[in-house]
Amino acid sequence: ASILAAGGLLRAVVRAQAHELRKSSYLQADETPVPVQTGETPGRNHRAFIWEYGQPGGPVVFDFQMGRGREGPERFLMGFRGTLQCDGYAAYDKLGEDIVYAGCMAHARRGFIEANKLSPQNPLPLEIIQTMGQLYAVEEKARQAGLGPAERQALRQRQSAPVMAALKLRLVEIRQQIPPGIKLAQACDYALNQWSRLEVFLTNGLVEIDNNWCEGAMRPLALGRKNWLHIGSAEAGPKVAAIASIVETCRRLDINLRAYLKDVLPKLGDWPANRVAELTPAAWKAAQAKKS
């Protein structure tokens, strides 16, 4: 109960963090199902969803919703103007005229990995996986060299853009040779349908090649599903999401979670609502740095 009470208090901090995220120019998004006890059907849990919005290496907010419809992202992203990176799930589409959509190469690659597992003797899926591997090698080079967005964009234009152009031609070629419906055809269709979004990373050095930061943050929740079985009620969902938001943000920003909570939680009860942004993990870390 005390954990959920903490979650209730932290919701205000997470709302301030969400407000900050909406002001940024680049966000990643993903969603995962979570079972919730509602009592609607005895012995059966409701399938709710936790949506994630965050910046690579920066703050993240988990948003609990009872469904997987577009209302969740529509509400959360209201006022956001920038690049949203997500998979091809339709709920993210047409959320605003000011949103540029970036695709996820890891999602596109996954289809070819599955096709390769189903037909290991077929050389085509492996060929595409290896070509995508060249793109990831450029990303690794940028990471190792510690390149900033502008330098990373220039490197991608020189080295990744020709690989992407060749990859698209090859996908079209392969797709024309194979019947629809098989796994390899589905993988080609997904990649080609997402193509304009998959190319966004070439022209924006801020944007990652994939959504793996997002997926990495979801992993503890996926593991949690196996351990805690379900969320006890619909009311508990937003509190659990608030706690997860703070835990993951502290992990990403290299903040000692215990020290942060010990300082912030006692203050929250009577802290002025218009100053809650001062207590987000990022603001707290900056304030601690000034003190030392």
Side-chain angles (χ1 to χ4, degrees):
S2 58
I3 291 176
L4 284 182
L9 287 169
L10 290 170
R11 284 184 70 187
V13 177
V14 173
R15 276 196 294 273
Q17 188 156 287
H19 181 66
E20 291 298 317
L21 281 179
R22 278 189 286 272
K23 289 197 288 190
S24 67
S25 64
Y26 169 44
L27 287 180
Q28 292 187 331
D30 200 5
E31 79 292 331
T32 194
V34 284
V36 179
Q37 274 191 324
T38 59
E40 289 166 10
T41 313
R44 285 191 65 184
N45 288 324
H46 175 84
R47 195 168 191 247
F49 282 82
I50 286 188
W51 300 71
E52 178 195 349
Y53 307 90
Q55 293 170 321
V60 64
V61 168
F62 293 104
D63 183 44
F64 175 83
Q65 295 288 331
M66 287 298 277
R68 202 186 177 205
R70 64 181 306 128
E71 313 79 44
E74 202 165 40
R75 200 176 302 120
F76 188 92
L77 292 165
M78 198 175 285
F80 171 68
R81 299 176 172 193
T83 302
L84 179 70
Q85 189 165 33
C86 51
D87 62 17
Y89 179 42
Y92 295 109
D93 291 354
K94 302 188 180 78
L95 290 174
E97 288 172 16
D98 298 315
I99 295 178
V100 174
Y101 291 93
C104 171
M105 193 66 69
H107 272 88
R109 185 172 172 270
R110 206 166 291 155
F112 296 98
I113 289 170
E114 286 168 14
N116 183 52
K117 280 181 190 162
L118 288 172
S119 310
Q121 73 290 350
N122 184 349
L124 295 175
L126 199 57
E127 179 197 330
I128 299 300
I129 293 164
Q130 286 168 344
T131 305
M132 288 177 169
Q134 294 172 34
L135 298 168
Y136 277 93
V138 177
E139 295 304 298
E140 184 56 27
K141 199 183 288 184
R143 208 166 14 251
Q144 296 287 348
L147 300 187
E151 298 160 305
R152 183 158 78 156
Q153 184 182 331
L155 178 71
R156 287 167 170 174
Q157 284 296 318
R158 286 196 310 275
Q159 297 187 9
S160 302
V163 177
M164 284 289 280
L167 177 61
K168 186 182 184 184
L169 287 174
R170 193 69 185 110
L171 288 172
V172 171
E173 250 173 27
I174 290 170
R175 183 63 188 86
Q176 286 168 347
Q177 295 166 17
I178 56 176
I182 65 168
K183 196 73 208 172
L184 180 56
Q186 289 168 0
C188 289
D189 288 343
Y190 179 87
L192 290 168
N193 288 339
Q194 288 282 304
W195 198 259
S196 62
R197 296 181 177 194
L198 290 173
E199 284 185 315
V200 168
F201 85 105
L202 296 174
T203 53
N204 187 338
L206 268 179
V207 175
E208 297 293 323
I209 190 172
D210 59 31
N211 236 10
N212 282 354
W213 273 99
C214 235
E215 298 222 332
M218 282 293 193
R219 216 158 283 139
L221 291 171
L223 285 171
R225 277 199 301 262
K226 292 175 185 161
N227 296 332
W228 34 253
L229 300 177
H230 52 240
I231 292 174
S233 68
E235 294 70 39
K239 297 173 185 175
V240 170
I243 293 165
S245 303
I246 296 298
V247 170
E248 177 61 16
T249 300
C250 285
R251 188 186 72 79
R252 287 189 182 190
L253 299 180
D254 202 20
I255 292 168
N256 182 311
L257 177 65
R258 191 179 289 256
Y260 169 79
L261 291 176
K262 205 173 166 185
D263 184 32
V264 168
L265 277 176
K267 294 175 179 171
L268 274 169
D270 46 12
W271 192 265
N274 60 348
R275 287 179 51 204
V276 174
E278 294 170 27
L279 299 181
T280 64
W284 184 85
K285 185 179 181 178
Q288 297 301 305
K290 274 185 192 164
K291 283 181 194 171
S292 57

